[in-house]
Amino acid sequence: AALLAGVLLGFNAHTLTRVPHIQAQYLGVIALVFLVFDRLLMDRRRADVVLLALAVVAAALTSGYAVVLAVVGLGVAVLARADEWMRERPGNLFGLLAGATILGGFLVLPVAIPYWLAGAQQGLERPLSQVQAFAITPLSYVATASRFHYVLWAQGIYERAAGTFFPGVTALALVTAALWRGGVLRQPRGRMLLAVGVAGFVLSLGPATPVYRALYAALPPLRGLRDPSRFGYLFLFAIALLAAAGLQRLTRRVRRRGLPAAGLIVLATLEMLHGPRRHVLHPEIAPIYGVIAAVTEPSVVVEMPFPPRDKVIRNVGYVLASTAHWKPLLNGFSGFIPHSYRRRAVRLRGFPDRRSLREMRRVGVTHVVVHLDRYPPDEGRRLLTRIQQRSELELLASERQIRVYRLLAASAAASSSNS
C-alpha cells in the first residue's frame, strides 16, 4: 500500500508535466506534514509539536506554494477530525497545536521576512483577476499527458485543459474500493483524506468559487501566489492515500496478496508513463563571458537589450549565461516582476544615452554585454555607432555579435575624453 501511494504521489500526470519546476518534485514534504500531524493527534506528545513545526518549515523551504498547501491542508484536517479530538482532552490538543503554530511561525521567519519585505516594498500581491487566469476547470481532472491515455482518448482534452490532474483509472478504481459502503469513511483518517481532497479540488478552481475568495481574504500569504491550480496537489495526495487504503481493503482476505498488490502497482506505474522523454541541448554559453569571469574586483553586469516587463522571459538566456561568471546581474526572470525592474526597463530603453548610463552607474553596473543580433539589423548598426561615440564605454572583447564593455566612472570617462 505504501509503495502504491508513493507511485501515485511521485509519478502522477501533474508532477511529470512539471519536471522543470524542481520544487514540484519535492512536494512529498506535504506527506511528512500530515504524518507528523497524525502522530500528534493520536499520541499527543510534545516531541511531535517540534516535529510538526519542523515539517512546516521544510515545506516553507521548498516553496511558497508548499507551505500554503501544508497550512491549508492542516486546517482542513483539524476540522475534519474534530469529532475525534473533541472527545478526549481537547484542551491538551489545543495547547499542543498552539505550540506547534507558534514554534513553526518563529522558525519560518527567516524565510517569510523576505517575502513580507517584497510585498511591502515591491507590491508582491496578486490581484484576483490575475489569479483567475491561472485557475483550472474540472476538465483538468480528466486531462493527462501520460502516453497510454493520451494516445487512446486524452489528446483533445489535454490540449484544451489548463492543467493535468487525472490520477489514473487504477487509482480511481482503488479509491472506489476504499469508499465502497462507507469503507474508510468510518475511520477518522479516511474522512480527513476525503475532506483534504475535496478542499484541494475546490480551491484549485480559484476565484471561480467563493471558498477561494474567502481564503484569499483571510490568509495573507495566499495573496502572493498566482497559481491556484497548485491546490490540485492536495487532491492527488488524498487520491494516493485513499487508493492505498483501497488496495489494503481488496487484498485483506487474499492469502497470497503480494502478487495482486504488485500487479496493481505495476499497472498504476504504466498508466503514468510519459516516455519517451525528448531533450534539446542548450547551445554552449559564449566563451566571451570568460572576460567577465576573470574580473577580480566587485562587478555588476547588465545585458542589453534590457527587456521590458511584458517580455521579461527574454532574460532567461542572460540568467543562464551568468553561471559562466557568477557576477550580480541586473537582468532577471521570475513569475513576479518588482517595481524596480519596471522602472529600470524604462530608464535603460534609450541605451547608450546619458539617462541609461546614469541609471547603470546608480545601481553599480561595471560591465555591459551588448547582443547586437537581438536588435533589428539597421538598429544594431546604429547602436554600435552610438556606443563607439561614448567615452564611458570601454570595449573589452567582441565575439561575433556580442560585445563586452567596461562602464567607466563619469570622472574617468571625462579624463579619457579630454586626453
Side-chain angles (χ1 to χ4, degrees):
L3 287 173
L4 175 70
V7 165
L8 295 175
L9 200 59
F11 304 106
N12 57 72
H14 174 67
T15 301
L16 291 180
T17 51
R18 291 187 61 204
V19 171
H21 294 172
I22 298 175
Q23 72 279 10
Q25 310 309 312
Y26 289 86
L27 284 180
V29 69
I30 302 297
L32 178 64
V33 170
F34 276 94
L35 171 65
V36 179
F37 168 75
D38 185 76
R39 286 178 48 173
L40 177 63
L41 201 61
M42 300 299 292
D43 300 333
R44 308 195 181 191
R45 299 182 308 175
R46 292 181 181 178
D48 291 324
V49 169
V50 178
L51 290 176
L52 182 58
L54 291 176
V56 172
V57 171
L61 291 171
T62 301
S63 75
Y65 286 101
V67 70
V68 169
L69 291 178
V71 171
V72 172
L74 286 175
V76 173
V78 169
L79 294 176
R81 297 178 72 165
D83 61 333
E84 177 189 10
W85 54 260
M86 285 291 289
R87 285 197 301 266
E88 182 184 353
R89 296 181 295 157
N92 175 258
L93 181 63
F94 272 123
L96 293 175
L97 289 176
T101 302
I102 295 171
L103 180 60
F106 175 75
L107 294 177
V108 86
L109 279 178
V111 180
I113 288 176
Y115 284 94
W116 178 80
L117 290 175
Q121 300 171 4
Q122 300 290 343
L124 178 53
E125 185 171 305
R126 315 285 187 175
L128 283 172
S129 58
Q130 184 182 16
V131 171
Q132 183 60 58
F134 289 88
I136 58 176
T137 66
L139 185 65
S140 298
Y141 285 91
V142 291
T144 179
S146 62
R147 185 60 52 190
F148 176 76
H149 295 299
Y150 186 84
V151 171
L152 286 183
W153 58 271
Q155 182 174 357
I157 297 175
Y158 175 77
E159 293 172 351
R160 288 185 287 123
T164 55
F165 288 91
F166 181 63
V169 175
T170 305
L172 291 177
L174 289 171
V175 170
T176 302
L179 300 177
W180 184 256
R181 294 185 177 180
V184 296
L185 293 183
R186 298 190 186 97
Q187 305 169 12
R189 289 171 180 161
R191 294 193 295 271
M192 176 187 73
L193 289 172
L194 183 62
V196 168
V198 170
F201 172 82
V202 172
L203 290 171
S204 70
L205 305 180
T209 69
V211 178
Y212 189 93
R213 293 177 179 271
L215 192 63
Y216 180 89
L219 190 62
L222 189 60
R223 300 171 203 165
L225 305 181
R226 66 173 179 172
D227 194 344
S229 72
R230 304 295 187 243
F231 279 102
Y233 187 85
L234 291 178
F235 169 83
L236 294 174
F237 168 76
I239 288 289
L241 271 71
L242 287 172
L247 177 65
Q248 281 188 313
R249 190 178 186 188
L250 285 178
T251 58
R252 186 169 48 201
R253 294 187 175 90
V254 178
R255 180 174 299 178
R256 297 182 178 179
R257 58 185 178 178
L259 187 60
L264 288 169
I265 292 172
V266 170
L267 186 59
T269 305
L270 291 176
E271 266 199 85
M272 296 297 103
L273 183 65
H274 278 58
R277 289 281 181 182
R278 295 179 178 86
H279 298 87
V280 178
L281 291 177
H282 189 278
E284 182 182 359
I285 297 174
I288 196 172
Y289 284 99
V291 174
I292 301 175
V295 176
T296 56
E297 63 266 17
S299 307
V300 176
V301 179
V302 62
E303 302 253 12
M304 304 298 296
F306 195 89
R309 62 175 298 274
D310 59 334
K311 294 182 174 61
V312 70
I313 195 171
R314 294 180 180 176
N315 281 322
V316 169
Y318 299 154
V319 174
L320 181 61
S322 72
T323 61
H325 57 73
W326 296 113
K327 308 293 184 183
L329 183 68
L330 218 58
N331 312 73
F333 174 70
S334 171
F336 169 70
I337 304 172
H339 297 322
S340 56
Y341 183 92
R342 303 178 189 188
R343 292 192 298 266
R344 192 160 297 137
V346 172
R347 292 169 184 169
L348 299 183
R349 189 165 50 197
F351 176 80
D353 61 6
R354 286 189 176 85
R355 184 190 187 193
S356 63
L357 297 182
R358 186 166 56 248
E359 173 67 12
M360 289 181 184
R361 288 198 187 94
R362 187 184 71 81
V363 295
V365 168
T366 57
H367 293 82
V368 183
V369 182
V370 180
H371 299 261
L372 296 173
D373 57 344
R374 299 195 180 186
Y375 293 91
D378 292 341
E379 185 179 343
R381 285 190 290 269
R382 288 194 298 269
L383 175 66
L384 185 57
T385 301
R386 292 172 60 202
I387 291 175
Q388 291 170 345
Q389 295 171 352
R390 306 299 304 196
S391 58
E392 300 99 320
L393 294 169
E394 177 188 2
L395 180 65
L396 295 182
S398 64
E399 178 184 306
R400 298 180 183 177
Q401 295 295 307
I402 305 176
R403 304 285 191 276
V404 177
Y405 296 89
R406 177 185 286 115
L407 178 60
L408 302 176
S411 56
S415 174
S416 174
S417 178
N418 292 333
S419 63

